[in-house]
């Protein structure tokens, strides 16, 4: 499809929340009621999330980072090693560290950017206490193989589903495979309550411990200020729950719109040489949190350094906001200071971190905007390589 950029300038952010009048009225109703911290909306939101995911229990917390810490502590995992991906946003590793554990990074697959399942067993030691995969950019990890390895070594799986609410593997929701699923409700997620998160589990004991931990370490039913566990103020508000209920009412529509937009963009870019587009493997159902692109080597030739950054700069000058794909966590300054410079090399994580970027794929994108995005990518690559 031809699309001329002559005389056109658009402003296209990388993410836009989908709020409407129902969202506004739900929140306003809670404000008028006075029950803004805790109330019936919170209980209803947790119950509806549990039904949506097909799990017994959901416990809301104030962030996806908190969800990971709470999950590990509720499982009693402390001073152990937790296997996770080398490529994720900081909260994944931060949550592991906050719970008193050490993240052990594993390289990723170049195809889907998720944990390379064939590398997991090489990192299992006597100190390994859990496997924590991330469903990155809304695409489910290979949960079939991950669960096989976990069962073989008697390890719990804790899924980081921050970007994958509504994604499925073999027709089952991400977050319902492992002992616990950890979710984010941040402003740019599939549904949003501004900030917030939750854990999903089929284990009532884990859920009860999580509720105590999020409430300073005190059971909510107790009024004698007896603290049975070390806890935090990780509570989720009734205001957020009201917004979450309105968002849940349209989650299927929001996901369908993301998938439609992703398909449209792939159609516009499918013949573009040297660029890997997002996709889905057999049995996978992605929610397309974003639209990642990876520059590929062609005919055995290495990519000239800086091409990705030049493309990012070109697109931003065109008004298109983009983000680089995550760089390896093990190479971040904070983690090098904490654990020392990592002697291991993560070739796929390094490559993706240096040569990938992502664009928005949110529901309100128009065909005109996507035409402009695709044409700008083509123009940018042509200009940079010429």
């Amino acid at each position: 499809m031809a699309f001329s950029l002559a005389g056109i300038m658009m402003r296209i952010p990388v993410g836009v929340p989908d709020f409407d009048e129902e969202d506004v009225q739900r929140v306003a109703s809670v404000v008028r009621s006075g029950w803004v911290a805790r109330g019936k909306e919170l209980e209803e939101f947790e119950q509806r999330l549990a039904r949506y995911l097909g799990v017994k229990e959901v416990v809301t917390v104030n962030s996806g980072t908190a969800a990971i810490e709470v999950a590990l502590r509720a499982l009693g995992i402390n001073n152990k090693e937790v296997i996770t991906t080398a490529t994720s946003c900081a909260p994944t590793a931060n949550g592991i560290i906050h719970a008193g554990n050490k993240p052990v990074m594993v390289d990723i697959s170049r195809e889907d950017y998720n944990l390379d399942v064939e590398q997991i067993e090489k990192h299992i030691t006597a100190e390994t206490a859990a496997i924590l995969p991330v469903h990155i950019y809304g695409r489910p990890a290979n949960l079939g193989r991950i669960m096989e390895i976990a069962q073989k070594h008697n390890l719990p799986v804790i899924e980081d589903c921050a970007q994958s609410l509504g994604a499925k593997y073999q027709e089952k929701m991400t977050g319902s495979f492992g002992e616990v699923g950890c979710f984010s409700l941040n402003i740019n997620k599939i549904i949003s309550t501004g900030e917030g998160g939750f854990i999903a589990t089929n284990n009532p004991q884990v859920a009860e411990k999580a509720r105590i931990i999020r409430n300073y370490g005190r059971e909510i039913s107790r009024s004698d200020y007896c603290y049975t566990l070390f806890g935090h103020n990780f509570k989720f508000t009734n205001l957020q729950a009201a917004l979450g209920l309105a968002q849940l009412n349209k989650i299927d529509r929001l996901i369908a719109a993301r998938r439609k937009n992703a398909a449209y963009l792939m159609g516009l870019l499918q013949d573009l040489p040297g660029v890997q587009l997002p996709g889905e493997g057999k049995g996978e159902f992605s929610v397309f949190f974003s639209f990642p692109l990876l520059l590929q080597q062609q005919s055995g030739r290495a990519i000239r350094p800086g091409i990705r950054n030049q493309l990012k700069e070109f697109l931003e000058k065109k008004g298109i906001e983009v983000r680089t794909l995550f760089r390896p966590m093990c190479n971040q300054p904070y983690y090098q200071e904490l654990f020392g410079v990592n002697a291991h090399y993560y070739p796929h994580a390094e490559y993706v971190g240096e040569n990938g970027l992502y664009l928005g794929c949110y529901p309100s994108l128009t065909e005109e905007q996507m035409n402009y995005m695709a044409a700008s990518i083509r123009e940018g690559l042509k200009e940079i390589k010429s």
Side-chain angles (χ1 to χ4, degrees):
M1 180 186 298
F3 186 87
S4 174
L5 294 177
I8 296 177
M9 178 67 176
M10 293 186 180
R11 295 291 179 186
I12 305 175
V14 77
V16 175
D18 193 289
F19 295 143
D20 57 24
E21 189 59 28
E22 182 188 359
D23 298 283
V24 174
Q25 291 305 319
R26 284 265 193 172
V27 174
S29 177
V30 167
V31 172
R32 294 188 188 101
S33 75
W35 289 94
V36 295
R38 184 174 176 83
K40 62 182 179 63
E41 283 80 7
L42 178 55
E43 183 176 341
E44 182 184 353
F45 186 48
E46 290 181 338
Q47 290 172 350
R48 284 189 55 191
L49 283 169
R51 288 199 299 271
Y52 178 76
L53 293 170
V55 298
K56 293 179 180 178
E57 304 267 3
V58 159
V59 180
T60 49
V61 289
N62 66 351
S63 71
T65 314
I68 292 173
E69 176 183 346
V70 169
L72 286 161
R73 292 188 53 214
L75 287 167
I77 297 172
N78 177 257
N79 198 27
K80 293 289 186 178
E81 294 179 354
V82 177
I83 290 176
T84 191
T85 174
T87 295
S88 184
C89 195
T92 303
N94 287 352
I96 293 170
I97 293 171
H98 288 326
N101 298 287
K102 179 180 179 180
V104 174
M105 309 293 180
V106 176
D107 202 8
I108 63 170
S109 161
R110 280 263 293 270
E111 178 189 354
D112 64 5
Y113 318 127
N114 281 315
L115 189 65
D116 183 350
V117 294
E118 300 309 318
Q119 302 296 318
I120 293 175
E121 289 189 283
K122 298 176 184 178
H123 293 77
I124 294 176
T125 72
E127 295 302 309
T128 303
I131 302 173
L132 201 157
V134 180
H135 306 299
I136 206 79
Y137 309 124
R139 183 172 177 177
N142 186 345
L143 286 162
R145 185 74 182 109
I146 290 169
M147 296 306 296
E148 285 178 5
I149 294 169
Q151 290 164 12
K152 175 182 174 181
H153 295 274
N154 195 29
L155 295 170
V157 171
I158 302 163
E159 299 175 64
D160 183 338
C161 310
Q163 299 177 350
S164 74
L165 178 59
K168 301 174 188 176
Y169 182 84
Q170 302 294 355
E171 299 299 322
K172 186 177 177 182
M173 292 282 190
T174 59
S176 66
F177 284 79
E179 189 72 13
V180 181
C182 301
F183 294 80
S184 172
L185 296 166
N186 183 269
I187 193 64
N188 63 348
K189 298 305 188 291
I190 305 304
I191 64 170
S192 174
T193 57
E195 290 287 357
F198 63 93
I199 73 168
T201 183
N202 286 310
N203 188 321
Q205 289 74 35
V206 168
E208 183 57 29
K209 280 190 175 182
R211 293 188 180 98
I212 294 171
I213 292 167
R214 76 172 176 186
N215 188 50
Y216 311 105
R218 177 174 65 89
E219 294 178 42
I220 193 68
S221 60
R222 297 190 68 153
S223 59
D224 59 353
Y225 294 100
C226 177
Y227 300 93
T228 56
L229 295 172
F230 174 76
H232 301 275
N233 180 3
F234 281 164
K235 296 190 293 294
F236 192 80
T237 70
N238 219 35
L239 283 170
Q240 291 168 293
L243 180 56
L245 285 167
Q247 291 273 292
L248 261 181
N249 284 342
K250 55 191 174 185
I251 188 170
D252 290 338
R253 174 178 66 78
L254 296 177
I255 291 172
R258 285 178 176 273
R259 290 178 58 81
K260 181 180 179 182
N261 289 346
Y264 189 82
L265 283 168
M266 283 188 275
L268 295 175
L269 296 169
Q270 62 183 349
D271 63 338
L272 187 61
V275 176
Q276 177 175 299
L277 302 178
E280 292 173 304
K282 184 178 180 181
E284 296 176 359
F285 179 90
S286 175
V287 291
F288 293 98
F289 165 78
S290 61
F291 193 82
L293 302 174
L294 182 65
L295 302 182
Q296 294 180 308
Q297 296 174 347
Q298 296 183 67
S299 303
R301 293 178 298 170
I303 295 174
R304 180 161 54 85
I307 290 288
R308 188 275 310 275
N309 293 342
Q310 291 177 59
L311 178 59
K312 179 177 183 289
E313 183 179 351
F314 180 90
L315 293 174
E316 288 172 343
K317 286 180 179 178
K318 289 287 186 180
I320 302 168
E321 187 180 15
V322 297
R323 296 280 190 272
T324 60
L325 297 189
F326 296 130
R327 59 196 294 184
M329 283 304 303
C330 50
N331 290 347
Q332 298 286 356
Y334 172 72
Y335 288 101
Q336 290 188 340
E337 180 180 341
L338 191 63
F339 300 118
V341 176
N342 201 308
H344 294 287
Y345 180 53
Y346 302 87
H348 293 165
E350 294 275 2
Y351 184 91
V352 169
E354 292 172 358
N355 295 289
L357 53 79
Y358 71 81
L359 302 91
C361 197
Y362 45 90
S364 60
L365 276 174
T366 66
E367 288 190 1
E368 183 182 20
Q369 288 175 314
M370 290 186 284
N371 289 337
Y372 180 78
M373 291 160 66
S376 297
I377 291 167
R378 289 179 180 277
E379 181 183 7
L381 288 172
K382 183 179 179 180
E383 181 175 303
I384 292 164
K385 293 179 178 179
S386 62

